[in-house]
Amino acid sequence: MPRFPDGAHYRVEIPSVEGPRCLDAVLTEADRLEVPVSRVSQGSGVGMLTDAEIGEMVKLGAAAGVELSLFARPCAAWGPSAMARMPAGAVLAPTAWGQDQLTAAVDEIRRAADLGVRSVLVSDLGVLATLGRLRTAGELPADLQAKVSVMLPVANPATAEVLVGLGANTLNLPTDLTLAHIAEIRAAVDVPLDVYVEAPDNLGGFVRHHELPTLVELAAPVYIKFGLRNAPDVYPSGTHLDDLTTALSRERVRRARLGLDLLHRAGSTAVCSPPGAPGLALPVP
């Protein structure tokens, strides 16, 4: 089985950690339930956080040895695109709509990097390619990682190879790929895969905990992600939703505990990375 640099097969990721209070809740609950969280990701976007809020998240993540990944938005769904709001055009929603949105997304990546963030979610091919070029040219930190969002579909091995060639460091796969599909992509690329074990309703609402033992074996090195079914869509989030988003964050950690318990009962010998492990894009205070 391929592994992470520390020899582990899998790592735990908690998504939709939308601000400092959510991150603090995740870290507190992870300590209480003994869940080794390696990465948290955010979906509302860099632009929905103040510099002070990002700075607080950077300090919390660095102290805990947890990678912090913020979304590089805006995108078509947040702009004037009518097509992105139509059933047939929904695939366009995560794309950068025009040069202005492309520039804005890259500006937010620069801002996040300047504040110490070393991992950004990308949902647009042009944004990914630009990030890769700027990183190669030394205009962005060499250790800044590009995490391809689930909103940029990586549904086959050829697509996975293209995205890695453009500079992707990890690939978030569609939530409904079969284990066989996931194995095909793993055979094509060496970068870590990010796979939802439980997906929010707007991404299918799948609860695939029972597949964890096989998933870890086939997809390693893999980030197992615990979203939350039967939870409201809170993007873009803000302080007006703090009580809700912190409660959702705590429950995602509990879902991760359920997954780890299942792996243990199944007799899995796969190894999980601890926080602070080599290869994590840890924030820099």
Side-chain angles (χ1 to χ4, degrees), residues 151-245:
M151 303 305 293
L152 204 174
V154 188
N156 62 72
T159 299
E161 290 175 327
V162 169
L163 295 180
V164 171
L166 290 175
N169 298 101
T170 70
L171 302 175
N172 200 144
L173 304 186
T175 64
D176 58 351
L177 291 188
T178 66
L179 292 174
H181 292 148
I182 293 170
E184 291 168 354
I185 292 172
R186 167 47 67 224
V189 296
D190 294 329
V191 300
L193 305 179
D194 312 340
V195 180
Y196 273 99
V197 177
E198 181 171 347
D201 293 327
N202 60 1
L203 291 177
F206 302 109
V207 183
R208 303 177 68 173
H209 292 214
H210 65 288
E211 292 183 319
L212 258 174
T214 307
L215 171 64
V216 168
E217 181 178 351
L218 292 176
V222 59
Y223 285 90
I224 54 175
K225 295 184 61 173
F226 293 88
L228 198 57
R229 187 171 179 174
N230 294 330
D233 182 355
V234 296
Y235 299 159
S237 186
T239 56
H240 64 305
L241 296 174
D242 266 356
D243 289 343
L244 173 61
T245 53

Side-chain angles (χ1 to χ4, degrees), residues 65-268:
V66 173
E67 179 178 319
L68 169 67
S69 193
L70 304 183
F71 211 116
R73 292 186 185 269
C75 57
W78 291 14
S81 170
M83 188 172 176
R85 291 169 171 77
M86 298 296 103
V91 69
L92 299 175
T95 61
W97 214 235
Q99 183 65 38
D100 57 341
Q101 284 198 354
L102 172 63
T103 300
V106 173
D107 285 347
E108 293 292 12
I109 292 172
R110 291 184 186 274
R111 175 173 167 243
D114 288 345
L115 292 169
V117 176
R118 288 297 179 267
S119 177
V120 290
L121 281 97
V122 177
S123 63
D124 178 89
L125 282 173
V127 173
L128 175 62
T130 302
L131 188 162
R133 289 195 298 267
L134 292 175
R135 190 172 53 191
T136 299
E139 296 183 39
L140 286 171
D143 59 350
L144 179 68
Q145 291 196 6
K147 171 175 159 55
V148 167
S149 164
V150 71
M151 303 305 293
L152 204 174
V154 188
N156 62 72
T159 299
E161 290 175 327
V162 169
L163 295 180
V164 171
L166 290 175
N169 298 101
T170 70
L171 302 175
N172 200 144
L173 304 186
T175 64
D176 58 351
L177 291 188
T178 66
L179 292 174
H181 292 148
I182 293 170
E184 291 168 354
I185 292 172
R186 167 47 67 224
V189 296
D190 294 329
V191 300
L193 305 179
D194 312 340
V195 180
Y196 273 99
V197 177
E198 181 171 347
D201 293 327
N202 60 1
L203 291 177
F206 302 109
V207 183
R208 303 177 68 173
H209 292 214
H210 65 288
E211 292 183 319
L212 258 174
T214 307
L215 171 64
V216 168
E217 181 178 351
L218 292 176
V222 59
Y223 285 90
I224 54 175
K225 295 184 61 173
F226 293 88
L228 198 57
R229 187 171 179 174
N230 294 330
D233 182 355
V234 296
Y235 299 159
S237 186
T239 56
H240 64 305
L241 296 174
D242 266 356
D243 289 343
L244 173 61
T245 53
T246 53
L248 297 177
S249 295
R250 284 192 294 270
E251 179 58 22
R252 291 185 184 97
V253 178
R254 193 181 77 87
R255 294 290 222 268
R257 181 67 264 167
L258 296 177
L260 296 178
D261 289 345
L262 187 152
L263 276 170
H264 177 73
R265 291 195 302 273
S268 173

Side-chain angles (χ1 to χ4, degrees), residues 6 8 10-12 26-27 30-31 34-39 60-67 223 272-280 282:
D6 64 335
Y10 68 97
R11 292 175 173 174
V12 175
V26 165
L27 297 176
D31 183 64
E34 299 183 354
V35 174
V37 175
S38 288
R39 176 200 274 165
L60 287 169
V66 173
E67 179 178 319
Y223 285 90
C272 181
S273 288
L280 287 171
L282 299 179

